[in-house]
């Protein structure tokens, strides 16, 4: 290995130039990150190469979520770059989300020069002489983590990292790249192929073909297909894995042949047409009562592309315990059942081929009716817009091909419960780690990577964490509309404190902030609206749709409004019941309307604990 010199050897290039070229060949179009001395050479290479657009974020967490949003909306590898020290450590929570949600992301992390390791180098994380080892930090949140000790080893490590990120189970890969290795010169590779946008990654596994069906477990496949063929009533619960595998068409065809109801997990609203007569609603703690009704009537519950974690099965465990379960997907479920592993598209096609080709109508069902909620815990203060009205305004303005990114909190629960997914766009909820503020970076990454209008739906708590990425949207003219539901609180936390602890603490209830005025003052070129009612919100969103760049809309909401989130609903219902008082409006009516197939009431289900 040799370092950069004034007269570089003919037929050689800097390692970072080679890295940028290989990423472009793998279909990478954007590199997200924050600069610094130990990663600046990579940014220089990206700038000089011209095939990849470098995007500078305000914080490394948001840079990871930009790469995450890019990957979720394009199906390609998302790439993030950060310098050493605090910049590297700021990547960890974003990579943890990508790991938990199976999102293919490559993180290139700068390190101090190798000659300074163990000698008191600034931001040393080599593990030498009392410094911590960055590999030990990143390994638990990555599918592959390696240190590039010399220039030649990158030829082997880069394809391995990309393949690991894109193989099931998908997730992040991390390459630790010392500054002197970045600057080293290597011989140009033999290939001279031009970059192919969206092309296969070097070293990645080829797409499954029909001939690869022999790799499936034929015994498990036959058992699952036989169970489904004999079932009169089937409830499908589809998850994010359907989107990751681009298997929406296969899911729809299987549902057609089974005559099945189709529910979705909270992070997978876009995997099945929300306006299809078969659509049963969202499963789990932010979901619809109809899903539980259908599950109790079903002979078989078919899980497709989901392991059915607690957020997706909350309130359903008792019904699942008495229903036969079949699971299709690359990973085993969290509930007992017949499993068929492997590539999801391949498995769906194999199961469908074993069923009669006729189309069957699904049995009648109520559909995804909104849950009647207990009344607001106290009178609204000032001008506020109810979540249901705000979500209806978003629905009225949302373009059919838009992407939607929903953040954590009360507003997020309302959006998941009430807002239909756009017919031709993603509906993304980061439930892997559930980190507040995820959507600001993710929405920007999606908008820049796809060029489509992208909606970010978040609360003020999420905004105060990572909302200054609005600056990034303005700098890069990203077509993102930020909709901030400002209840001047960490309202979900405040409700838990009241219901669970009877606490008089007010630390999660804040003084009023005028976000629209502040953002308008900070970014004079940004289209900003302070929406005082649902109609003003709708009109502001339509104006944003008509523009090419970002828009920002803030509206006030009531921090005491109880969202469609089962743990909070059960707390609210349990408290008056324990005191011998009447349950708030809507709850008893909902129980009586659930039909004779229901074997227990809301009170008998008890309080559901999540988080």
């Amino acid at each position: 290995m040799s370092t950069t010199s004034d007269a570089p050897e003919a037929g050689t290039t800097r390692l970072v130039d080679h890295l940028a070229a290989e990423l472009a060949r793998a279909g990478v179009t954007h590199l997200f990150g924050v600069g610094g001395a130990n990663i600046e050479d990579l940014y220089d290479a990206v700038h000089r190469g011209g095939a990849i657009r470098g995007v500078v974020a305000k914080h490394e967490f948001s840079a990871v979520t930009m790469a995450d949003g890019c990957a979720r909306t394009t199906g390609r590898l998302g790439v993030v770059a950060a310098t050493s020290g605090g910049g590297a450590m700021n990547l960890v929570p974003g990579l943890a989300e990508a790991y938990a949600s199976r999102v293919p992301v490559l993180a290139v992390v700068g390190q101090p020069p190798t000659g300074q390791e163990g000698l008191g180098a600034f931001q040393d994380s080599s593990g030498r002489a009392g410094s911590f080892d960055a590999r030990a930090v990143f390994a638990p949140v990555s599918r592959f983590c390696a240190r590039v000790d010399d220039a030649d080893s990158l030829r082997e490590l880069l394809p391995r990292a990309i393949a690991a990120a894109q193989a099931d189970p998908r997730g992040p890969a991390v390459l630790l790249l010392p500054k002197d290795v970045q600057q080293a010169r290597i011989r140009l590779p033999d290939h001279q192929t031009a970059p192919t946008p969206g092309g296969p990654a070097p070293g990645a596994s080829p797409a499954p073909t029909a001939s690869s069906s022999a790799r499936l477990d034929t015994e498990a496949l036959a058992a699952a297909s036989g169970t489904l063929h004999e079932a009169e009533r089937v409830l499908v619960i589809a998850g994010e894995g359907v989107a990751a595998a681009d298997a929406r068409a296969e899911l729809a065809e299987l549902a057609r042949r089974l005559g099945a109801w189709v529910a979705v997990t909270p992070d997978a609203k876009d995997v099945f047409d929300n306006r299809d007569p078969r659509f049963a609603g969202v499963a789990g703690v932010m979901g619809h009562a109809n899903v539980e009704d259908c599950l109790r009537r079903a002979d078989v519950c078919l899980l497709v592309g989901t392991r059915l974690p607690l957020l997706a099965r909350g309130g359903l465990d008792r019904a699942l315990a008495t229903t036969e379960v079949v699971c299709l997907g690359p990973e085993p479920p969290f509930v007992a059942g017949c499993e068929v592993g492997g590539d999801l598209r391949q498995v769906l096609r194999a199961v469908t081929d074993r069923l009669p080709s006729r189309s069957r109508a699904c049995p009648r069902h109520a559909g995804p009716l909104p849950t009647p909620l207990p009344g607001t815990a106290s009178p609204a203060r000032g001008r506020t817009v109810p979540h249901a009205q705000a979500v209806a305004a978003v629905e009225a303005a949302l373009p059919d091909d838009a992407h939607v990114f929903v953040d954590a909190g009360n507003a997020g629960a309302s959006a998941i419960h009430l807002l239909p997914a756009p017919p031709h766009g993603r509906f993304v909820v980061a439930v892997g780690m559930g980190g507040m503020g995820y959507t600001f970076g993710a929405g920007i990454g999606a908008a820049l990577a796809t060029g489509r209008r992208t909606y970010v739906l978040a609360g003020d708590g999420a905004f105060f964490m990572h909302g200054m990425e609005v600056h990034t949207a303005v700098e890069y003219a990203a077509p993102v509309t930020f909709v901030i539901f400002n209840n001047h609180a960490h309202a979900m936390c405040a409700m838990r404190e009241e219901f669970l602890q009877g606490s008089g603490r007010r630390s999660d209830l804040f003084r009023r902030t005028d976000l629209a005025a502040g953002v308008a003052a900070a970014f004079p070129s940004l289209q900003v609206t302070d929406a005082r009612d649902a109609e003003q919100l709708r009109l502001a969103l339509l104006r944003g749709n008509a523009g090419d760049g970002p828009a920002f809309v803030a509206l006030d909401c009531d921090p005491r409004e109880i969202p469609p989130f089962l743990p909070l609903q059960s707390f609210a219902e349990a408290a008056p019941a324990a005191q011998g008082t009447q349950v708030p409006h809507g709850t008893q009516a909902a129980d009586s309307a659930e039909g004779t197939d229901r074997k227990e009431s809301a009170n008998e289900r008890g309080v559901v604990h999540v988080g």
Side-chain angles (χ1 to χ4, degrees), residues 1-238:
M1 181 178 74
S2 60
T3 56
T4 305
S5 65
D6 292 334
E9 182 182 351
T12 66
T13 187
R14 292 183 302 171
L15 178 138
V16 287
D17 296 311
H18 168 69
L19 173 57
E22 289 300 293
L23 291 175
R25 288 185 64 245
V28 174
T29 58
H30 291 75
L31 178 135
F32 305 96
V34 180
N38 286 328
I39 201 64
E40 62 191 3
D41 297 284
L42 178 56
Y43 281 97
D44 178 66
V46 166
H47 174 72
R48 291 173 183 270
I52 296 175
R53 186 182 189 188
V55 177
V56 176
K58 307 289 92 63
H59 192 280
E60 289 84 0
F61 169 80
S62 290
V64 180
T65 66
M66 289 178 193
D68 177 306
C70 169
R72 294 199 204 213
T73 51
T74 66
R76 300 194 298 267
L77 181 72
V79 180
V80 61
T83 192
S84 52
M89 296 302 99
N90 284 340
L91 296 173
V92 172
L95 294 177
E97 169 60 40
Y99 183 95
S101 290
R102 309 319 195 226
V103 181
V105 170
L106 172 66
V108 182
V109 185
Q111 298 285 280
T114 55
Q116 298 178 9
E117 294 171 354
L119 298 175
F122 179 58
Q123 299 179 333
D124 188 359
S125 58
S126 64
R128 299 182 180 181
S131 66
F132 72 89
D133 188 345
R135 285 172 295 190
V137 174
F138 288 111
V141 292
S142 63
R143 304 296 176 191
F144 179 89
C145 180
R147 181 181 174 84
V148 184
D149 291 316
D150 57 72
D152 290 336
S153 64
L154 183 72
R155 298 183 192 276
E156 173 201 355
L157 293 175
L158 179 60
R160 288 177 60 192
I162 293 175
Q166 295 180 320
D168 286 323
R170 300 174 177 89
V174 178
L175 291 177
L176 303 171
L177 200 56
K179 185 174 179 69
D180 58 320
V181 177
Q182 296 177 45
Q183 295 174 329
R185 301 198 69 83
I186 63 173
R187 292 205 166 273
L188 289 168
D190 293 335
H191 60 259
Q192 298 293 329
T193 307
T196 304
S205 302
T209 62
S211 62
S212 65
S213 60
R215 292 198 295 268
L216 295 178
D217 184 334
T218 54
E219 184 175 341
L221 182 61
S225 301
T227 298
L228 293 170
H229 180 65
E230 294 173 3
E232 289 293 324
R233 294 179 174 182
V234 176
L235 171 66
V236 174
I237 302 180

Side-chain angles (χ1 to χ4, degrees), residues 501-527:
Q501 301 171 332
S503 175
R505 284 189 291 133
R506 295 184 59 83
S507 53
D508 283 309
L509 298 172
F510 311 142
R511 295 181 180 90
R512 188 179 187 281
T513 52
D514 191 340
L515 296 183
V519 170
F523 307 105
S525 65
L526 179 62
Q527 182 185 123

Side-chain angles (χ1 to χ4, degrees), residues 231-234 254-261 276-278 297 358-365:
E232 289 293 324
R233 294 179 174 182
V234 176
L254 178 59
R256 183 185 70 84
R257 294 199 188 186
L258 289 172
W261 302 297
D276 190 290
R278 302 179 190 278
R297 296 166 59 194
R358 69 180 187 277
S359 177
R360 294 174 54 192
C362 71
R364 294 184 63 183
H365 62 119

Side-chain angles (χ1 to χ4, degrees), residues 547-559:
D548 296 326
F552 185 96
V553 187
L555 62 149
D556 278 2
C557 299
D558 187 348

Side-chain angles (χ1 to χ4, degrees), residues 292-588:
E292 184 179 0
D293 292 340
C294 291
L295 178 59
R296 292 186 178 282
R297 296 166 59 194
D299 303 310
V300 176
C301 178
L302 173 62
L303 307 182
V304 180
T306 178
R307 304 177 72 190
L308 210 62
L310 185 56
L311 281 179
R313 74 173 190 274
L316 302 179
D317 278 318
R318 293 186 184 180
L320 283 166
T322 59
T323 306
E324 190 165 5
V325 176
V326 174
C327 179
L328 310 182
E331 296 186 79
F334 294 116
V335 295
C338 173
E339 305 170 25
V340 183
D343 175 81
L344 186 58
R345 291 181 74 183
Q346 180 185 350
V347 171
L348 282 168
R349 290 170 179 173
V351 171
T352 301
D353 287 346
R354 286 163 172 76
L355 297 174
S357 59
R358 69 180 187 277
S359 177
R360 294 174 54 192
C362 71
R364 294 184 63 183
H365 62 119
L369 298 176
T371 299
L373 297 174
T376 300
S378 68
R381 62 185 190 188
R383 59 175 181 86
T384 60
V385 181
H387 286 154
Q389 293 181 19
V391 172
V394 172
E395 180 182 359
L398 189 66
D400 284 350
D401 64 348
H403 302 304
V404 178
F405 284 77
V406 178
D407 220 296
N410 287 2
S414 296
I416 292 167
H417 190 77
L418 298 171
L419 181 62
H424 307 295
R426 291 297 329 264
F427 190 106
V428 177
V429 186
V431 298
M433 290 289 104
M436 291 173 64
Y438 160 89
T439 58
F440 292 92
I444 292 168
L448 292 175
T450 66
R452 295 193 198 176
R453 176 59 52 179
T454 301
Y455 276 38
V456 166
L457 309 182
D460 55 311
F463 174 81
F464 286 125
M465 290 190 179
H466 292 285
M468 282 300 100
E469 293 300 335
V470 169
H471 179 275
T472 308
V474 172
E475 286 292 300
Y476 292 91
V480 183
T481 298
F482 301 97
V483 184
I484 311 302
F485 297 72
N486 187 2
N487 55 25
H488 311 284
H490 287 160
M492 193 170 283
C493 296
M495 286 184 178
R496 289 180 60 86
E497 291 159 10
E498 178 179 350
F499 291 134
L500 286 176
Q501 301 171 332
S503 175
R505 284 189 291 133
R506 295 184 59 83
S507 53
D508 283 309
L509 298 172
F510 311 142
R511 295 181 180 90
R512 188 179 187 281
T513 52
D514 191 340
L515 296 183
V519 170
F523 307 105
S525 65
L526 179 62
Q527 182 185 123
V528 178
T529 302
D530 178 14
R532 296 175 177 267
D533 56 40
E535 179 61 11
Q536 288 186 12
L537 172 60
R538 184 185 70 86
L539 294 175
L541 297 177
L542 292 174
R543 287 194 299 271
N545 295 347
D548 296 326
F552 185 96
V553 187
L555 62 149
D556 278 2
C557 299
D558 187 348
R560 304 295 298 277
E561 181 180 352
I562 297 173
F565 185 59
L566 189 55
L568 295 183
Q569 294 170 44
S570 56
F571 297 152
E573 294 166 9
Q579 298 167 9
T581 57
Q582 185 175 358
V583 176
H585 76 276
T587 306
Q588 293 175 337

